[in-house]
Amino acid sequence: MSSKRLHSLDPVVLKEWRWEPFLSETIQAFSRFDLQSVSLPLDFLDKENCFRSKSTSQIAVSSTWACRTKKLRFLRAACVESSGSASVLNFLVNPLPKYDLPFFGADFVTLPSGHLLALDLQPVLKTDQVHTENVWKSLIPLHKRWQSLLPPGGPIPREAESYFSPGFLWTRLPLGIEGDRLISEVLRPAYSEYLSLYLNLVEQAIEVSAPRSSLLLEGQKNYMRYRAKKDPARGLLTRFFGNEWTESYINDILFDL
Ligand code: DBV
């Protein structure tokens, strides 16, 4: 069985999920294009599971929003919540490879240790100037402004570096008032600007030649393989939902190419 949703998530499933305003804004923003539904297996659309943590039983939920448009092959948001211990929004836009567009990626993660926030327009072909130049000249000034108001997120794995742009917004914040303030006063407007830049790029994108499209497809596959292999959420998702569901979710849904 499969099902689909287009304009929002089921609010009953994600009662305490803190990233709802970001996802609503995202869906609203992409609605300027003609959103087309994609079917997902029901078990991945909404999932609820009981797991054991320090000898008590806890509930974790996961909910997936996904669609496509004429130029974007697959947009999906993975939303995870477990009362008190995790609240996650992982959002990725995969363009059709016949457009010279970057990925749009956000990873907003709240854990008992704090918030970990990543946002980027990630290149498909990082060393290809035609692919990057136009994006980076608009993105770098945004990054400069907003990253300067946030503490640096610290080192990222070396091998991951080739998948990020110089506009990678990356921070770790404490839980509590200060973290909440920076999320609403810095992350939120930064997110809106990154989103708006991306939407403009999508709007302007025109089809490329078939050989160039093959090159972009190879780059996309390479990126998706890396993300699936190294997904930092693997441990958390496995603890919440078990190994079998998690592997299928990561490999067949989240990073599906
Ligand atoms: N990350 C995902 C998916 C998630 C998810 C699909 C469904 O790719 C969550 C959930 N990310 C998630 C979790 C953690 C991270 C960490 C739960 C914390 C893991 C932990 O501490 O146990 C950005 N995310 C990270 C890290 C980076 C990113 C650099 C730290 C990794 C580390 O310390 O090894 N994810 C990475 C990234 C993008 C992204 C750059 C794109 C913008 O989506």
Side-chain angles (χ1 to χ4, degrees):
M1 270 237 287
S2 68
S3 192
K4 47 202 172 193
R5 56 163 59 104
L6 255 190
H7 297 292
S8 69
L9 284 179
D10 181 350
V12 179
V13 177
L14 288 164
K15 287 186 283 284
E16 296 167 68
W17 190 57
R18 66 177 295 138
W19 302 108
E20 207 285 322
F22 285 83
L23 183 63
S24 296
E25 177 181 346
T26 307
I27 297 174
Q28 176 74 37
F30 280 100
S31 297
R32 89 151 90 146
F33 305 121
D34 182 22
L35 299 187
Q36 298 160 18
S37 56
V38 294
S39 291
L40 295 181
L42 272 186
D43 198 35
F44 296 114
L45 201 65
D46 290 310
K47 174 79 175 167
E48 183 169 324
N49 201 40
C50 219
F51 69 102
R52 301 211 50 91
S53 165
K54 297 179 191 133
S55 76
T56 66
S57 239
Q58 294 214 23
I59 305 268
V61 294
S62 156
S63 196
T64 310
W65 175 85
C67 74
R68 64 193 162 87
T69 76
K70 255 168 59 189
K71 292 183 179 176
L72 305 171
R73 185 185 63 83
F74 189 48
L75 305 84
R76 92 311 180 265
C79 314
V80 180
E81 163 76 28
S82 174
S83 49
S85 67
S87 203
V88 177
L89 167 61
N90 182 270
F91 180 59
L92 182 66
V93 179
N94 296 261
L96 277 165
K98 66 181 175 185
Y99 296 101
D100 226 314
L101 286 166
F103 299 98
F104 181 92
D107 201 18
F108 300 155
V109 181
T110 303
L111 298 171
S113 53
H115 308 283
L116 176 160
L117 309 169
L119 176 63
D120 201 6
L121 269 58
Q122 295 184 308
V124 176
L125 304 171
K126 184 159 181 175
T127 55
D128 181 313
Q129 246 197 345
V130 173
H131 181 66
T132 56
E133 197 171 63
N134 187 37
V135 180
W136 292 0
K137 76 170 193 285
S138 308
L139 182 61
I140 290 169
L142 301 187
H143 175 257
K144 212 166 164 184
R145 175 142 56 92
W146 296 113
Q147 184 72 62
S148 72
L149 302 171
L150 296 167
I156 55 163
R158 233 256 143 86
E159 57 191 4
E161 280 166 17
S162 70
Y163 299 101
F164 292 101
S165 84
F168 178 38
L169 193 75
W170 170 230
T171 189
R172 292 173 194 264
L173 302 176
L175 298 185
I177 296 174
E178 180 60 4
D180 290 346
R181 185 184 72 78
L182 289 169
I183 287 171
S184 64
E185 292 178 10
V186 182
L187 184 67
R188 191 72 201 276
Y191 187 74
S192 302
E193 291 191 5
Y194 274 57
L195 196 57
S196 154
L197 169 59
Y198 192 71
L199 290 163
N200 290 339
L201 293 169
V202 173
E203 208 140 70
Q204 290 156 18
I206 48 169
E207 284 188 34
V208 299
S209 69
R212 176 124 189 113
S213 178
S214 307
L215 196 66
L216 288 160
L217 179 60
E218 275 319 298
Q220 290 193 349
K221 284 186 175 166
N222 177 38
Y223 172 93
M224 296 289 263
R225 265 196 298 270
Y226 177 81
R227 291 284 307 264
K229 189 158 147 236
K230 297 288 176 171
D231 190 346
R234 187 169 255 113
L236 174 138
L237 292 174
T238 302
R239 198 154 54 84
F240 287 177
F241 304 109
N243 183 60
E244 200 183 327
W245 184 91
T246 298
E247 288 309 316
S248 178
Y249 190 47
I250 290 175
N251 291 297
D252 307 334
I253 310 283
L254 295 182
F255 306 108
D256 66 329
L257 251 190

Short mmCIF file of all heavy atoms in Angstrom, two decimals, residues 103 120-128 131-132 136 156-166 168 219 222-223 226-227:
data_model
loop_
_atom_site.label_atom_id
_atom_site.label_comp_id
_atom_site.label_asym_id
_atom_site.label_seq_id
_atom_site.Cartn_x
_atom_site.Cartn_y
_atom_site.Cartn_z
N PHE A 103 21.75 20.86 -5.34
CA PHE A 103 20.76 20.35 -4.39
C PHE A 103 20.43 21.47 -3.40
O PHE A 103 21.26 22.35 -3.16
CB PHE A 103 21.35 19.20 -3.57
CG PHE A 103 21.77 18.00 -4.37
CD1 PHE A 103 23.09 17.82 -4.73
CD2 PHE A 103 20.84 17.05 -4.73
CE1 PHE A 103 23.49 16.70 -5.45
CE2 PHE A 103 21.23 15.91 -5.46
CZ PHE A 103 22.56 15.75 -5.81
N ASP A 120 22.53 24.25 3.09
CA ASP A 120 23.44 24.50 1.97
C ASP A 120 22.73 24.33 0.62
O ASP A 120 21.72 23.64 0.53
CB ASP A 120 24.62 23.50 2.04
CG ASP A 120 25.84 23.97 1.26
OD1 ASP A 120 25.85 25.11 0.75
OD2 ASP A 120 26.81 23.19 1.17
N LEU A 121 23.27 25.00 -0.38
CA LEU A 121 22.95 24.68 -1.76
C LEU A 121 24.12 23.87 -2.24
O LEU A 121 25.17 24.42 -2.59
CB LEU A 121 22.78 25.97 -2.60
CG LEU A 121 21.36 26.56 -2.68
CD1 LEU A 121 20.79 26.88 -1.32
CD2 LEU A 121 21.33 27.80 -3.54
N GLN A 122 23.98 22.56 -2.22
CA GLN A 122 25.13 21.69 -2.43
C GLN A 122 25.37 21.40 -3.90
O GLN A 122 24.43 21.07 -4.64
CB GLN A 122 24.94 20.39 -1.64
CG GLN A 122 24.92 20.70 -0.15
CD GLN A 122 24.81 19.46 0.71
OE1 GLN A 122 23.94 18.65 0.51
NE2 GLN A 122 25.69 19.34 1.68
N PRO A 123 26.62 21.53 -4.34
CA PRO A 123 26.92 21.33 -5.76
C PRO A 123 26.81 19.87 -6.17
O PRO A 123 27.14 18.97 -5.40
CB PRO A 123 28.37 21.81 -5.88
CG PRO A 123 28.95 21.64 -4.51
CD PRO A 123 27.83 21.87 -3.55
N VAL A 124 26.36 19.66 -7.39
CA VAL A 124 26.36 18.33 -7.98
C VAL A 124 27.76 18.03 -8.54
O VAL A 124 28.26 16.91 -8.46
CB VAL A 124 25.30 18.23 -9.10
CG1 VAL A 124 25.34 16.89 -9.81
CG2 VAL A 124 23.90 18.50 -8.53
N LEU A 125 28.38 19.08 -9.11
CA LEU A 125 29.73 18.96 -9.67
C LEU A 125 30.57 20.09 -9.09
O LEU A 125 30.59 21.19 -9.62
CB LEU A 125 29.69 19.11 -11.21
CG LEU A 125 28.78 18.16 -12.00
CD1 LEU A 125 28.71 18.60 -13.47
CD2 LEU A 125 29.28 16.72 -11.91
N LYS A 126 31.25 19.81 -7.99
CA LYS A 126 31.87 20.90 -7.25
C LYS A 126 32.99 21.62 -8.00
O LYS A 126 33.20 22.82 -7.81
CB LYS A 126 32.42 20.39 -5.91
CG LYS A 126 32.98 21.53 -5.07
CD LYS A 126 33.07 21.20 -3.62
CE LYS A 126 33.61 22.38 -2.83
NZ LYS A 126 33.60 22.13 -1.39
N THR A 127 33.71 20.91 -8.87
CA THR A 127 34.84 21.56 -9.52
C THR A 127 34.49 22.10 -10.90
O THR A 127 35.36 22.54 -11.64
CB THR A 127 36.03 20.57 -9.65
OG1 THR A 127 35.55 19.41 -10.32
CG2 THR A 127 36.56 20.17 -8.29
N ASP A 128 33.22 22.10 -11.23
CA ASP A 128 32.77 22.58 -12.54
C ASP A 128 32.27 24.01 -12.40
O ASP A 128 31.22 24.27 -11.80
CB ASP A 128 31.64 21.65 -13.01
CG ASP A 128 31.11 22.03 -14.39
OD1 ASP A 128 30.85 23.23 -14.63
OD2 ASP A 128 30.94 21.12 -15.21
N HIS A 131 28.81 25.08 -13.36
CA HIS A 131 27.79 24.63 -12.41
C HIS A 131 27.75 25.49 -11.15
O HIS A 131 26.69 25.71 -10.58
CB HIS A 131 28.09 23.17 -12.04
CG HIS A 131 27.08 22.57 -11.08
ND1 HIS A 131 25.77 22.36 -11.43
CD2 HIS A 131 27.20 22.18 -9.80
CE1 HIS A 131 25.12 21.84 -10.39
NE2 HIS A 131 25.96 21.73 -9.39
N THR A 132 28.90 25.96 -10.72
CA THR A 132 28.96 26.59 -9.40
C THR A 132 28.91 28.12 -9.43
O THR A 132 28.34 28.74 -8.53
CB THR A 132 30.26 26.19 -8.67
OG1 THR A 132 31.37 26.54 -9.49
CG2 THR A 132 30.27 24.70 -8.36
N TRP A 136 27.24 30.44 -6.54
CA TRP A 136 28.09 30.87 -5.43
C TRP A 136 28.18 32.38 -5.32
O TRP A 136 28.32 32.92 -4.22
CB TRP A 136 29.47 30.21 -5.54
CG TRP A 136 29.40 28.72 -5.29
CD1 TRP A 136 28.26 28.01 -5.01
CD2 TRP A 136 30.48 27.77 -5.29
NE1 TRP A 136 28.57 26.68 -4.86
CE2 TRP A 136 29.92 26.51 -5.02
CE3 TRP A 136 31.85 27.87 -5.50
CZ2 TRP A 136 30.69 25.35 -4.94
CZ3 TRP A 136 32.63 26.72 -5.43
CH2 TRP A 136 32.05 25.47 -5.14
N ILE A 156 33.86 19.15 9.88
CA ILE A 156 33.02 18.09 9.31
C ILE A 156 33.96 17.05 8.72
O ILE A 156 35.12 17.33 8.46
CB ILE A 156 32.07 18.62 8.22
CG1 ILE A 156 32.84 19.37 7.13
CG2 ILE A 156 30.98 19.52 8.80
CD1 ILE A 156 32.04 19.57 5.86
N PRO A 157 33.46 15.82 8.55
CA PRO A 157 34.35 14.78 8.03
C PRO A 157 35.01 15.23 6.72
O PRO A 157 34.36 15.79 5.84
CB PRO A 157 33.39 13.60 7.78
CG PRO A 157 32.20 13.86 8.64
CD PRO A 157 32.10 15.35 8.78
N ARG A 158 36.31 14.98 6.61
CA ARG A 158 37.10 15.38 5.44
C ARG A 158 36.47 14.98 4.11
O ARG A 158 36.32 15.77 3.19
CB ARG A 158 38.44 14.63 5.55
CG ARG A 158 39.63 15.45 5.45
CD ARG A 158 40.47 15.51 4.27
NE ARG A 158 40.97 16.87 4.07
CZ ARG A 158 42.07 17.32 4.65
NH1 ARG A 158 42.77 16.59 5.47
NH2 ARG A 158 42.47 18.53 4.38
N GLU A 159 36.06 13.72 4.07
CA GLU A 159 35.51 13.18 2.81
C GLU A 159 34.18 13.84 2.43
O GLU A 159 33.73 13.75 1.30
CB GLU A 159 35.31 11.67 2.96
CG GLU A 159 34.40 11.41 4.13
CD GLU A 159 34.30 9.96 4.57
OE1 GLU A 159 35.00 9.12 4.01
OE2 GLU A 159 33.51 9.70 5.47
N ALA A 160 33.54 14.51 3.44
CA ALA A 160 32.26 15.16 3.15
C ALA A 160 32.46 16.51 2.48
O ALA A 160 31.55 17.04 1.85
CB ALA A 160 31.47 15.34 4.44
N GLU A 161 33.69 17.05 2.59
CA GLU A 161 33.91 18.43 2.16
C GLU A 161 33.56 18.68 0.69
O GLU A 161 33.05 19.73 0.34
CB GLU A 161 35.36 18.85 2.45
CG GLU A 161 35.53 19.24 3.91
CD GLU A 161 36.99 19.34 4.33
OE1 GLU A 161 37.87 19.42 3.44
OE2 GLU A 161 37.25 19.33 5.55
N SER A 162 33.81 17.68 -0.15
CA SER A 162 33.58 17.91 -1.58
C SER A 162 32.09 18.02 -1.91
O SER A 162 31.73 18.38 -3.02
CB SER A 162 34.23 16.81 -2.41
OG SER A 162 33.54 15.62 -2.22
N TYR A 163 31.24 17.70 -0.95
CA TYR A 163 29.81 17.78 -1.22
C TYR A 163 29.20 19.11 -0.78
O TYR A 163 28.03 19.36 -1.01
CB TYR A 163 29.08 16.61 -0.57
CG TYR A 163 29.56 15.29 -1.10
CD1 TYR A 163 30.46 14.50 -0.38
CD2 TYR A 163 29.18 14.86 -2.38
CE1 TYR A 163 30.94 13.31 -0.89
CE2 TYR A 163 29.66 13.67 -2.90
CZ TYR A 163 30.54 12.89 -2.16
OH TYR A 163 31.01 11.73 -2.68
N PHE A 164 30.00 19.95 -0.12
CA PHE A 164 29.46 21.22 0.36
C PHE A 164 29.92 22.39 -0.50
O PHE A 164 30.95 22.32 -1.15
CB PHE A 164 29.90 21.47 1.81
CG PHE A 164 29.28 20.51 2.77
CD1 PHE A 164 29.99 19.43 3.25
CD2 PHE A 164 27.97 20.69 3.18
CE1 PHE A 164 29.40 18.53 4.13
CE2 PHE A 164 27.38 19.79 4.06
CZ PHE A 164 28.10 18.72 4.53
N SER A 165 29.15 23.46 -0.43
CA SER A 165 29.55 24.68 -1.12
C SER A 165 30.26 25.59 -0.13
O SER A 165 30.22 25.36 1.08
CB SER A 165 28.30 25.39 -1.66
OG SER A 165 27.73 26.18 -0.63
N PRO A 166 30.88 26.68 -0.60
CA PRO A 166 31.45 27.66 0.34
C PRO A 166 30.35 28.44 1.07
O PRO A 166 30.65 29.25 1.94
CB PRO A 166 32.27 28.59 -0.56
CG PRO A 166 32.07 28.15 -1.96
CD PRO A 166 31.14 27.01 -2.00
N PHE A 168 28.04 26.93 2.88
CA PHE A 168 27.52 25.98 3.88
C PHE A 168 27.34 26.68 5.23
O PHE A 168 28.31 27.09 5.87
CB PHE A 168 28.52 24.82 4.00
CG PHE A 168 28.16 23.78 5.03
CD1 PHE A 168 26.84 23.37 5.23
CD2 PHE A 168 29.16 23.17 5.80
CE1 PHE A 168 26.52 22.39 6.17
CE2 PHE A 168 28.86 22.19 6.74
CZ PHE A 168 27.54 21.80 6.92
N GLY A 219 26.99 12.90 -11.27
CA GLY A 219 27.29 13.66 -10.06
C GLY A 219 26.23 13.48 -8.99
O GLY A 219 26.53 13.31 -7.81
N ASN A 222 26.53 9.99 -7.43
CA ASN A 222 27.68 9.96 -6.56
C ASN A 222 27.34 10.59 -5.19
O ASN A 222 27.63 10.04 -4.12
CB ASN A 222 28.82 10.69 -7.28
CG ASN A 222 30.06 10.78 -6.45
OD1 ASN A 222 30.39 9.84 -5.74
ND2 ASN A 222 30.75 11.91 -6.52
N TYR A 223 26.68 11.73 -5.24
CA TYR A 223 26.26 12.44 -4.02
C TYR A 223 25.28 11.59 -3.20
O TYR A 223 25.43 11.43 -1.99
CB TYR A 223 25.62 13.77 -4.42
CG TYR A 223 24.96 14.53 -3.28
CD1 TYR A 223 25.66 15.50 -2.58
CD2 TYR A 223 23.63 14.30 -2.93
CE1 TYR A 223 25.05 16.21 -1.54
CE2 TYR A 223 23.02 14.99 -1.90
CZ TYR A 223 23.73 15.95 -1.21
OH TYR A 223 23.13 16.65 -0.19
N TYR A 226 26.90 8.67 -1.52
CA TYR A 226 27.65 9.09 -0.35
C TYR A 226 26.72 9.34 0.83
O TYR A 226 26.97 8.88 1.95
CB TYR A 226 28.47 10.36 -0.66
CG TYR A 226 29.21 10.85 0.57
CD1 TYR A 226 30.42 10.26 0.94
CD2 TYR A 226 28.68 11.84 1.38
CE1 TYR A 226 31.08 10.66 2.09
CE2 TYR A 226 29.33 12.25 2.54
CZ TYR A 226 30.53 11.66 2.88
OH TYR A 226 31.17 12.05 4.02
N ARG A 227 25.65 10.09 0.58
CA ARG A 227 24.72 10.42 1.67
C ARG A 227 24.11 9.14 2.27
O ARG A 227 23.95 9.03 3.48
CB ARG A 227 23.60 11.35 1.16
CG ARG A 227 24.04 12.76 0.79
CD ARG A 227 24.30 13.66 1.98
NE ARG A 227 23.22 13.74 2.93
CZ ARG A 227 22.29 14.69 2.97
NH1 ARG A 227 22.30 15.64 2.09
NH2 ARG A 227 21.36 14.68 3.91
#
